Structure formats: C-alpha cells, structure tokens
Amino acid sequence: MEAKTQRSELTRAAIIGAALDLAAAEGLESITLQAVADRIGLSKSGVFSRVGSRETLQKAVVEEFGRRFIDDVFVPAMQQPKGLPRLDTIVQRWIVRTRDVEAKSGCVFSAGAFELDDRDGPLRDHLHSEILRWRSALRRTVQQAVEAGHLKTDTDAEQFVSEIYSLMLGMVHDVRFLREPRTAERVQSTWRRLLSTYIA
C-alpha cells in the first residue's frame, strides 16, 4: 500500500511539473487535463483521478511555482541575520533565479498577472493572494532592516517593496523579451543605487 501511495505521489508531482512547464510556455489558461495527459502519457481520467479538476490543477501550478521560488530565494535568505543582510540576499538570489530559471522557462507569476489581470475568478484570486504573500514577506524584511537601524527610519516599506518588484518585473521583460545578455548585471547595478537611497 505504501509503495502504491508513493507511486501515486510521484505521478501527481509529474503531472504538476508538466502543467507548470505548459503554463510557463503558454500561460495558465493553456492548462487542460488533456494537454497535461498528452505530455506525460497518461489518460485524461488518470490525470483527473490524481489532481482533480482543471481549476484545481491550475491552482496547484501556482502553488508549486511559489514553493520553488520560496525555496530558491527566501529559505536560504532566512539563514542570514535579520535586516540588510537578509534583504540583500533575497534580492541577490531573486536576480540569480530570474537569470538562471525564468530567463529560460518564463515566470508564471508575472506572466499570469498580465494574463489574468482583467479576468475575475478563482484562479486570479489565487494568484493574487500568492503574490501578495510574497510581497508581505518582502515588506516584513524591509521593516526588520529599519528596526535594525540598517535603513532610514522614515523608510516607506510599501514604497521600497514596490520599487524592488518593479525592478524585477523589468528584469523578466528584458531577459525574456529583449534577450539582453547584460540584464542581470544592469539590474544588479540598479539595485545597488536604489538601496543606497535607503541605507541609514
């Protein structure tokens, strides 16, 4: 029974992975049970029995992308002391991930935000809540840097987060659409200049 459960979990992971690849290439709305089934050699009913409806699978893809991002960016940064070391590590790892991962496969969150910006519904709501969760974690990190005396006391954390987010969205655009090879280097330089305006 345990081996069967493990196989089922591996198959579910393969389904979500295939759906994530599809979403990165063609958008969240491109995910269908049949399209994913075709990619991994399962029947449509086999996919449904493991993940449920199309909407459930789309939400699982959003969650999986978020989990991978957190594992790559936030989790390692939490090993750094609170304040500027942690904030800088988050941004540095975000730049590296965008250069090494999103540059090749696309960013499900940024592409999804544009794809679903005017489409109300559960999938948009789910993506919206995931992105807000990222931004909230980043805002807490900025606030901790202020409390530690690393950033100016009058720092507007929401403003700073908005600027960081805009910088990274710009990076996704330049590295994916423009295919500019020096994008990471330029973003790194911009981050240093931005940070210098907030350092105490």
Side-chain angles (χ1 to χ4, degrees):
M1 188 67 180
E2 186 178 333
K4 184 178 178 181
T5 301
Q6 287 177 340
R7 281 198 304 274
S8 180
E9 282 302 308
L10 285 171
T11 305
R12 187 176 189 278
I15 289 168
I16 293 172
L20 178 54
D21 290 343
L22 186 61
E26 301 177 30
L28 286 164
E29 288 292 353
S30 71
I31 297 172
T32 66
L33 299 184
Q34 188 61 62
V36 174
D38 291 344
R39 278 185 167 233
I40 60 174
L42 277 179
S43 65
K44 182 178 176 181
S45 61
V47 172
F48 179 81
S49 70
R50 289 169 175 84
V51 297
S53 67
R54 174 182 183 241
E55 182 181 294
T56 302
L57 179 55
Q58 288 172 316
K59 288 181 177 179
V61 164
V62 169
E63 289 165 5
E64 177 62 14
F65 184 84
R67 185 193 65 75
R68 293 182 187 187
F69 179 87
I70 287 168
D71 283 351
D72 286 348
V73 175
F74 279 94
V75 171
M78 291 306 107
Q79 307 307 310
Q80 298 296 321
K82 288 182 181 179
L84 190 54
R86 186 174 293 181
L87 175 63
D88 188 47
T89 300
I90 287 171
V91 176
Q92 297 292 344
R93 293 191 68 88
W94 196 349
I95 291 170
V96 169
R97 180 185 158 88
T98 303
R99 183 195 68 198
D100 296 347
V101 179
E102 276 76 36
K104 298 176 179 66
S105 61
C107 176
V108 169
F109 275 20
S110 59
F114 287 109
E115 180 184 359
L116 302 173
D117 58 0
D118 57 358
R119 299 186 200 179
D120 291 335
L123 182 58
R124 184 192 189 282
D125 293 344
H126 192 64
L127 178 60
H128 184 265
S129 68
E130 286 291 301
I131 290 174
L132 286 185
R133 187 163 65 94
W134 276 16
R135 290 178 70 127
S136 177
L138 193 55
R139 186 172 60 250
R140 281 196 306 274
T141 306
V142 170
Q143 289 166 340
Q144 288 167 353
V146 173
E147 291 162 6
H150 300 155
L151 301 181
K152 294 175 183 176
T153 56
D154 63 350
T155 294
D156 182 335
E158 199 66 61
Q159 176 66 29
F160 197 8
V161 167
S162 178
E163 290 167 345
I164 294 170
Y165 213 83
S166 296
L167 175 63
M168 298 313 300
L169 280 177
M171 180 173 181
V172 171
H173 174 275
D174 287 5
V175 80
R176 288 282 296 166
F177 184 71
L178 298 183
R179 298 176 184 170
E180 168 54 58
R182 293 185 60 202
T183 296
E185 178 186 338
R186 287 173 174 154
V187 170
Q188 180 71 251
S189 177
T190 304
W191 164 240
R192 288 296 172 208
R193 284 203 305 276
L194 174 63
L195 184 58
S196 71
T197 66
Y198 285 98
I199 288 177

